[in-house]
Amino acid sequence: MTRQSVAAFTTFKTGSCLTLSRESKSWGRVRAEQVQRTGLKKEETSLTSRDHLVLLNLKGSSERGDYSLDGKPAGFARRRPGSILFVPAGCHWKGWEAGASSAAYLSITIDPAKVSELLGRDSVRRHPALSPDLGFEDPAVMHAVRGIGAEIHDQSPLSTLLVESYVSAIFIQLFRRQTNCSVVNKAGGLAPKSFNRVMEKIEQDLAADLSLSQLADVAGVSIPHFCRAFKQMTGSPPYAFIIGRRIDRAKQRLRSSDMSITDIALDCGFSSSSHFANGFRREAGMSPAAYRRSFRQ
């Protein structure tokens, strides 16, 4: 791999660096791209996209820079790993940044018409246009973006359906953050801070035997209210959501480690390899062994 402009790989960043890897995949009007780079110095950014852009910083921090949005000064927000950047379709983002010499990011671009299709045109119209946010942290959005990134390598026929559910979750949360009004019935939902605490608890204790009472306590609501609100906000009951996250983690282990399938099952919170195999097959459309082989052929 030779040193070259990032512009050869993306449409909005330019600067001399060494691109270590670049992977991408599209699901109709949704596209994901994961890039790892090194030798970074100062990067120039210029973007006016017809699509929404959601970018998750995976590695390396942006320490300094200066931006403008639609020709107006926007300052700079330091972004560490886990930070998210959102630029809505039609917004002109320009500026520069510098920081760590090695970095990785995962970008998702989504046609606004796809968002309207998934959430309903009437629901989208009831809210003000989404505003850009050049540096924030949100566990729910991060989980959904990472979920889409994991599907870059997945061959399951259910991949498109899963990606669309993640896109819905991203934009429900963006509307909630920016308008303080949920796309779903606000009276039945959770406050953003409570929801974020629940998501953090799930991620931290994913392999543990989490109970509804524990999660409801974290949210500060009753169990029945928690179950209704969680399904409204994620599209899945708590148990199904946690199983899905365990499967996501297991996929990563199967792709990148030499752990036995039994050890992966236990590490990801499944009670046995058979329990893991059954759940994995329902979610991925193939056995864990077949999934691993598909990456090592």
Side-chain angles (χ1 to χ4, degrees), residues 56-116:
L56 173 64
N57 189 11
L58 299 173
K59 177 184 176 182
S61 297
S62 294
E63 301 289 349
R64 59 193 185 279
D66 190 41
Y67 292 133
S68 67
L69 292 166
D70 292 332
K72 298 179 181 179
F76 177 78
R78 180 178 177 271
R79 296 194 308 277
R80 62 183 182 179
S83 294
I84 300 157
L85 179 149
F86 172 68
V87 181
C91 178
H92 181 55
W93 169 37
K94 186 176 182 179
W96 66 273
E97 63 183 58
S101 61
S102 295
Y105 67 84
L106 173 59
S107 68
I108 313 294
T109 52
I110 309 102
D111 186 330
K114 186 64 177 179
V115 177
S116 295

Side-chain angles (χ1 to χ4, degrees), residues 190-191 193-195 197-198 212-222 225-226 229:
L190 296 172
K193 288 184 179 179
S194 296
F195 181 65
R197 286 197 299 268
V198 170
L212 288 176
S213 62
Q214 286 176 296
L215 295 176
D217 284 345
V218 170
V221 297
S222 68
H225 179 82
F226 171 74

Side-chain angles (χ1 to χ4, degrees), residues 40-269:
L40 291 166
K41 296 181 180 179
K42 181 179 178 180
E43 287 189 299
E44 301 286 342
T45 297
S46 182
L47 169 71
T48 303
S49 175
R50 67 179 183 181
D51 295 328
H52 297 309
L53 169 69
V54 182
L55 187 146
L56 173 64
N57 189 11
L58 299 173
K59 177 184 176 182
S61 297
S62 294
E63 301 289 349
R64 59 193 185 279
D66 190 41
Y67 292 133
S68 67
L69 292 166
D70 292 332
K72 298 179 181 179
F76 177 78
R78 180 178 177 271
R79 296 194 308 277
R80 62 183 182 179
S83 294
I84 300 157
L85 179 149
F86 172 68
V87 181
C91 178
H92 181 55
W93 169 37
K94 186 176 182 179
W96 66 273
E97 63 183 58
S101 61
S102 295
Y105 67 84
L106 173 59
S107 68
I108 313 294
T109 52
I110 309 102
D111 186 330
K114 186 64 177 179
V115 177
S116 295
E117 175 188 314
L118 292 172
L119 300 187
R121 294 186 185 279
D122 290 341
S123 294
V124 172
R125 288 191 186 117
R126 285 198 297 268
H127 298 82
L130 288 166
S131 300
D133 193 331
L134 300 184
F136 66 98
E137 295 185 17
D138 188 296
V141 176
M142 181 177 70
H143 158 71
V145 173
R146 285 188 178 276
I148 294 173
E151 293 304 303
I152 291 175
H153 305 101
D154 202 290
Q155 306 302 316
S156 168
L158 299 176
S159 183
T160 298
L161 183 62
L162 186 56
V163 166
E164 289 181 347
S165 71
Y166 284 133
V167 170
S168 297
I170 288 169
F171 281 89
I172 287 172
Q173 186 68 354
L174 287 175
F175 276 116
R176 180 180 296 113
R177 286 180 58 86
Q178 297 198 5
T179 67
N180 199 29
C181 179
S182 177
V183 171
V184 296
N185 181 4
K186 184 179 178 183
L190 296 172
K193 288 184 179 179
S194 296
F195 181 65
N196 289 344
R197 286 197 299 268
V198 170
M199 296 297 288
E200 289 170 354
K201 176 69 172 176
I202 290 173
E203 291 300 314
Q204 290 169 3
D205 297 333
L206 192 58
D209 187 17
L210 289 170
S211 67
L212 288 176
S213 62
Q214 286 176 296
L215 295 176
D217 284 345
V218 170
V221 297
S222 68
I223 291 175
H225 179 82
F226 171 74
C227 291
R228 288 192 300 270
F230 191 89
K231 185 173 182 179
Q232 282 184 332
M233 299 171 84
T234 66
S236 301
Y239 176 77
F241 182 87
I242 291 171
I243 292 297
R245 287 296 301 124
R246 288 175 175 177
I247 295 296
D248 289 343
R249 182 172 291 182
K251 286 178 178 178
Q252 192 276 329
R253 299 282 193 274
L254 289 166
R255 291 194 302 267
S256 62
S257 80
D258 293 321
M259 296 170 64
S260 70
I261 290 176
T262 298
D263 286 343
I264 291 174
L266 297 176
D267 182 63
C268 294

